[in-house]
């Protein structure tokens, strides 16, 4: 079972600096930590046991995320790899999920033959969902799609076609680097320091 270890911004920066992650990933993680110095950060020991992409398990052993307890929403400034004309990202609060189930309708959502792990979702409309492929170790991209584009595959699975998705970010670290605000369960909003 994965064990959670928490720390402040200085401890999280040390975790990143001491890791064997690629330099570009370290840079994105450091920038995120610097922009949010008051958040509580966490990493996981024994993350290899999680049913997630191998690259995310490796990153989780350095830095899994922030504010590990309670509900959490984030706001993004833009998608790094595509420019959506149908979304105003500065008005959307994405809810942290880290689950394969986006609703009670489907237990799993597939992109081609790959199961998706939902990272964040715009819960109010489900008009924008951010997800990664679970069983494709080479693909670290964050895909964005609308729940309305999911087609029933069978009784418990939904299917999303590649044409209905767009690449929002090349990696989880790149996505973190585009977070501009965090909203806590209490309603408190923490804005990024630039």
């Amino acid at each position: 079972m994965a064990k959670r270890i928490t720390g402040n911004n200085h401890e999280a920066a040390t975790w990143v600096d001491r890791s064997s992650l690629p330099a570009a990933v370290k840079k994105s993680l450091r920038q995120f930590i610097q922009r949010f110095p008051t958040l509580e950060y966490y990493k996981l020991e024994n993350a290899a046991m999680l049913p997630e992409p191998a690259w995310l398990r490796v990153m989780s052993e350095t830095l899994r995320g922030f504010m590990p307890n309670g509900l959490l929403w984030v706001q993004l400034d833009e998608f790094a790899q595509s420019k959506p004309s149908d979304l105003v990202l500065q008005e959307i609060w994405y809810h942290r999920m880290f689950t394969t189930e986006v609703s009670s309708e489907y237990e799993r959502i597939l992109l081609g033959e790959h199961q998706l792990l939902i990272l964040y979702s715009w819960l109010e409309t489900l008009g924008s969902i951010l997800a990664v492929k679970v069983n494709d170790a080479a693909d670290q991209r964050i895909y964005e799609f609308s729940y309305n584009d999911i087609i029933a595959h069978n009784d418990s699975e939904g299917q999303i076609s590649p044409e209905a998705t767009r690449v929002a970010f090349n990696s989880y670290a790149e996505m973190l680097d585009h977070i501009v605000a965090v909203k806590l369960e209490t309603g408190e909003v923490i804005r990024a320091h630039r």
Side-chain angles (χ1 to χ4, degrees):
M1 182 174 173
K3 176 185 173 188
R4 185 186 315 161
I5 299 170
T6 60
N8 62 28
N9 61 321
H10 301 294
E11 291 165 314
T14 300
W15 301 338
V16 171
D17 290 341
R18 290 182 180 167
S19 76
S20 60
L21 294 172
V25 172
K26 285 183 176 186
K27 180 181 177 188
S28 291
L29 294 177
R30 274 194 226 99
Q31 286 175 183
F32 176 73
I33 294 165
Q34 288 170 356
R35 288 195 344 266
F36 291 96
T38 62
L39 295 181
E40 178 184 33
Y41 293 91
Y42 73 104
K43 63 180 181 173
L44 299 175
E45 283 185 353
N46 302 318
M49 307 303 288
L50 297 172
E52 297 178 346
W55 62 264
L56 184 56
R57 291 192 305 261
V58 169
M59 181 176 290
S60 294
E61 291 185 348
T62 297
L63 183 69
R64 170 65 169 206
F66 49 96
M67 307 308 282
N69 300 311
L71 300 175
L72 178 83
W73 295 262
V74 300
Q75 210 168 44
L76 302 164
D77 59 357
E78 64 181 353
F79 291 160
Q81 303 305 316
S82 58
K83 307 299 178 207
S85 60
D86 55 331
L87 298 172
V88 180
L89 292 179
Q90 294 78 13
E91 296 177 4
I92 297 173
W93 285 101
Y94 285 94
H95 177 64
R96 177 175 60 193
M97 304 212 38
F98 281 82
T99 181
T100 56
E101 243 179 277
V102 71
S103 75
S104 58
E105 188 173 2
Y106 304 113
E107 290 177 19
R108 294 172 14 127
I109 298 173
L110 304 173
L111 174 57
E113 74 246 15
H114 301 288
Q115 181 179 357
L116 294 177
L117 174 71
I118 310 302
L119 300 178
Y120 289 88
S121 175
W122 183 16
L123 283 184
E124 289 77 9
T125 68
L126 295 179
S128 182
I129 297 169
L130 300 170
V132 295
K133 293 178 181 175
V134 172
N135 52 348
D136 186 346
D139 190 352
Q140 296 187 23
R141 295 174 293 180
I142 311 293
Y143 292 89
E144 192 269 344
F145 58 92
S146 170
Y147 186 79
N148 294 330
D149 292 325
I150 299 171
I151 299 165
H153 182 63
N154 60 38
D155 289 342
S156 64
E157 292 180 340
Q159 183 84 38
I160 186 85
S161 73
E163 295 78 27
T165 68
R166 60 181 150 212
V167 175
F169 303 100
N170 279 328
S171 69
Y172 179 62
E174 185 179 63
M175 185 191 76
L176 289 177
D177 202 24
H178 283 272
I179 293 175
V180 293
V182 175
K183 183 164 61 172
L184 307 179
E185 192 170 5
T186 62
E188 177 187 359
V189 174
I190 302 168
R191 302 254 175 229
H193 295 246
R194 289 285 178 178

